[in-house]
Amino acid sequence: MKVVGIIAEYNPFHNGHLYQIEQVKKSGADYIIVVMSGDFLQRGTPAILDKWTRARMALSSGADLVIELPAVFATASAQYFARGGISILDKLGVVDTISFGCETDNLPLLKEVSSFLWKEPSDYKNKLQSYLKNGKSFPKAREEAVTALLGPNAVAMVSSPNNILALEYCISLLERGSSIQPMPILRKGNDYHEEDLQKDALPSATAIRSQLKSYLSTACIGAVNLDSIRVDSMNLASHTFNTTNLSNHLPKSVVSILNENMDKLLLSQDSLSLLLKYKLLSTVNNLDIYADVTSDLADKIRKNINNYENITQFMELLKSKDLTHTRINRALTHILLDITQNMYTDVKAQDYAPYARVLGFHKRALPLLSEIGKKTYIPFITKLANARAQLSEHDYALLEHDIFCSHVYESVIADKTGNAFQNEFTRQMIILES
């Protein structure tokens, strides 16, 4: 039994993701396990659709099993994002290979650079510190230090988002002494940040989201600010994505799922603005405890809190040469979701993920589930009501935090759509038969 793992966000699932799954199957994989972010993502934004809907997209497009990546990892920088996902795949005891999209499929170079960064030789540390003292950001300082010591061929490995994650996956495998082997798949099509869809090219998730927002603005009577809209589900029901340019870049099953959930697609980060403002006001004197909130950023928040209008506007007030949008996004999301720096210290001390919560599986994967049951090193949670008996009090607290994060997300969806609030304990695990 050959089992391949993928760590993903699927925000949303598109033909580029389908291409990866097809390449993995061509490599001889019997089963594909996806560890997928929950309702909040690495860039500090809410997902455009809830984790259950995105899990269904993955299962309908070739994945066999989808496991949730806890929010503490899903909203983290590349280092913790990778270590959270790798720890789950490694502890399941059945995964042979991890596949990831990359700007290069040069595996020897990938291994060379990741081994170098894992070992952190003294000359690298010295150069890194020198660049940091000169005012460079950590990513830029690392890029220049690696280039200076390993040459120009290595620079691409530490400069693009996909390559940075690929390196962190490999470093995590080295740290764990894992037997899982990396399988990079050369990324094709649109650039990672490309916002336009190109004909006959595999899309970026950024381009898909941009087109979704544009189309929904038209569907909502030419609205400019979607966050001001209380969704009229009956009005949206008359619109579909079937005939748009989007349908050429998405699997048919995903187009169908998008059409079924069109009212939920209007959620954005600014939909959380009032919740965040309340949280900032109630914790304004204790902001430093949250992950990614430096003392300088905490001071900026305190100085600008009275000028807060919404998240997008507030980020512009906080932005500086040393603080990127992503870093501010992530910090604000950590405040909203009660993700403290101590949580990262704790999960690292506990070897990262302490359980694997299943969001869904395909019936053809029953032999895989049986094998996991025999070999897993961590509790395999298929029913939330039974989780307290499966976990220690300490580990259950992390699961409770995930439930809280999903309820924050769901509360905004329910308010925006007028639909009934969906409690995590009433959610049914997805089981596909065809």
Side-chain angles (χ1 to χ4, degrees):
M1 180 185 291
K2 180 178 180 180
V3 182
V4 177
I6 295 174
I7 303 170
E9 292 184 327
Y10 293 155
N11 189 43
F13 193 100
H14 55 67
N15 284 348
H17 300 129
L18 181 63
Y19 172 78
Q20 180 186 18
I21 285 179
E22 290 172 344
Q23 295 302 112
V24 167
K25 289 185 174 180
K26 286 179 182 179
S27 75
D30 296 301
Y31 298 105
I32 296 173
I33 298 175
V34 174
V35 176
M36 190 191 75
S37 300
D39 294 320
F40 292 89
L41 308 176
Q42 196 191 5
R43 283 182 291 275
T45 57
I48 64 167
L49 285 168
D50 66 77
K51 62 191 178 186
W52 302 97
T53 305
R54 288 163 31 245
R56 185 178 293 278
M57 288 178 175
L59 291 168
S60 69
S61 303
D64 297 291
L65 170 65
V66 180
I67 293 169
E68 180 179 5
L69 180 64
V72 67
F73 303 116
T75 62
S77 62
Q79 179 181 3
Y80 278 96
F81 181 90
R83 281 154 183 75
I86 290 292
S87 67
I88 292 175
L89 293 173
D90 194 41
K91 292 176 182 180
L92 290 176
V94 299
V95 178
D96 309 293
T97 307
I98 175 172
S99 170
F100 44 81
C102 202
E103 305 301 335
T104 176
D105 56 0
N106 187 337
L107 185 55
L109 178 61
L110 180 61
K111 287 186 173 181
E112 178 189 3
V113 177
S114 58
S115 178
F116 176 82
L117 292 174
W118 173 54
K119 293 176 181 176
E120 289 193 320
S122 58
D123 51 352
Y124 165 73
K125 288 183 179 179
N126 292 337
K127 283 191 176 295
L128 180 66
Q129 289 302 316
S130 175
Y131 292 133
L132 288 172
K133 287 178 180 177
N134 287 334
K136 296 186 183 297
S137 66
F138 178 81
K140 189 63 178 178
R142 184 169 76 164
E143 176 184 327
E144 295 193 11
V146 168
T147 304
L149 295 170
L150 295 184
N153 288 338
V155 66
M157 295 305 304
V158 292
S159 60
S160 75
N162 283 323
N163 285 352
I164 291 170
L165 262 179
L167 286 171
E168 292 297 347
Y169 293 145
C170 292
I171 292 170
S172 182
L173 292 174
L174 290 169
E175 287 177 348
R176 304 187 67 81
S178 175
S179 62
I180 296 175
Q181 294 300 305
M183 183 174 75
I185 293 179
L186 185 62
R187 193 175 181 279
K188 296 184 177 182
N190 283 13
D191 181 73
Y192 182 81
H193 294 295
E194 178 63 54
E195 293 194 7
D196 295 320
L197 293 175
Q198 300 172 14
K199 186 177 180 181
D200 300 323
L202 293 176
S204 69
T206 302
I208 294 292
R209 291 192 297 272
S210 177
Q211 292 298 311
L212 282 172
K213 183 174 182 179
S214 175
Y215 179 75
L216 287 169
S217 294
T218 302
C220 291
I221 322 175
V224 175
N225 182 10
L226 295 176
D227 294 292
S228 66
I229 297 174
R230 178 68 179 271
V231 177
D232 182 344
S233 297
M234 295 299 293
N235 179 41
L236 279 178
S238 64
H239 296 265
T240 70
F241 296 113
N242 294 10
T243 59
T244 70
N245 189 33
L246 279 168
S247 63
N248 298 322
H249 298 274
L250 304 168
K252 289 183 178 179
S253 60
V254 170
V255 173
S256 177
I257 292 170
L258 284 172
N259 285 332
E260 293 169 6
N261 294 275
M262 194 176 290
D263 56 346
K264 298 179 183 177
L265 286 166
L266 292 170
L267 178 69
S268 75
Q269 190 171 27
D270 278 342
S271 304
L272 303 165
S273 292
L274 284 177
L275 287 177
L276 178 62
K277 185 173 184 179
Y278 168 79
K279 191 63 185 296
L280 291 175
L281 289 170
S282 61
T283 60
V284 69
N285 295 319
N286 297 295
L287 295 172
D288 306 68
I289 68 172
Y290 296 105
D292 284 314
V293 180
T294 63
S295 57
D296 286 345
L297 178 56
D299 286 341
K300 279 193 170 186
I301 291 173
R302 282 188 280 267
K303 289 175 182 177
N304 287 282
I305 189 64
N306 291 331
N307 298 315
Y308 184 106
E309 296 176 10
N310 57 54
I311 293 176
T312 300
Q313 170 264 354
F314 196 56
M315 284 199 304
E316 288 300 318
L317 295 180
L318 301 177
K319 189 179 66 173
S320 69
K321 183 178 68 175
D322 300 325
L323 287 171
T324 64
H325 270 112
T326 298
R327 177 66 183 269
I328 297 170
N329 257 339
R330 194 177 291 139
L332 294 178
T333 296
H334 287 161
I335 294 170
L336 175 68
L337 300 179
D338 274 334
I339 297 177
T340 66
Q341 187 55 53
N342 284 343
M343 289 180 71
Y344 287 105
T345 302
D346 183 58
V347 293
K348 183 177 180 179
Q350 300 296 322
D351 193 26
Y352 302 101
Y355 57 80
R357 184 191 178 190
V358 179
L359 296 178
F361 66 91
H362 202 289
K363 272 201 170 181
R364 63 172 175 257
L366 288 174
L368 171 65
L369 300 187
S370 177
E371 194 69 9
I372 291 173
K374 297 173 186 175
K375 295 184 177 179
T376 183
Y377 299 102
I378 51 177
F380 194 62
I381 299 170
T382 57
K383 189 174 182 181
L384 198 56
N386 297 336
R388 190 179 290 274
Q390 293 178 267
L391 300 172
S392 68
E393 183 177 347
H394 176 276
D395 294 344
Y396 189 74
L398 183 62
L399 180 59
E400 281 188 310
H401 181 263
D402 277 337
I403 295 168
F404 161 73
C405 292
S406 291
H407 284 170
V408 168
Y409 183 96
E410 178 60 28
S411 68
V412 179
I413 287 289
D415 177 69
K416 202 165 186 64
T417 63
N419 296 333
F421 175 85
Q422 296 290 308
N423 189 298
E424 280 290 285
F425 284 92
T426 64
R427 293 278 196 173
Q428 297 295 312
M429 184 173 57
I430 300 166
I431 304 176
L432 291 193
E433 297 187 20
S434 59

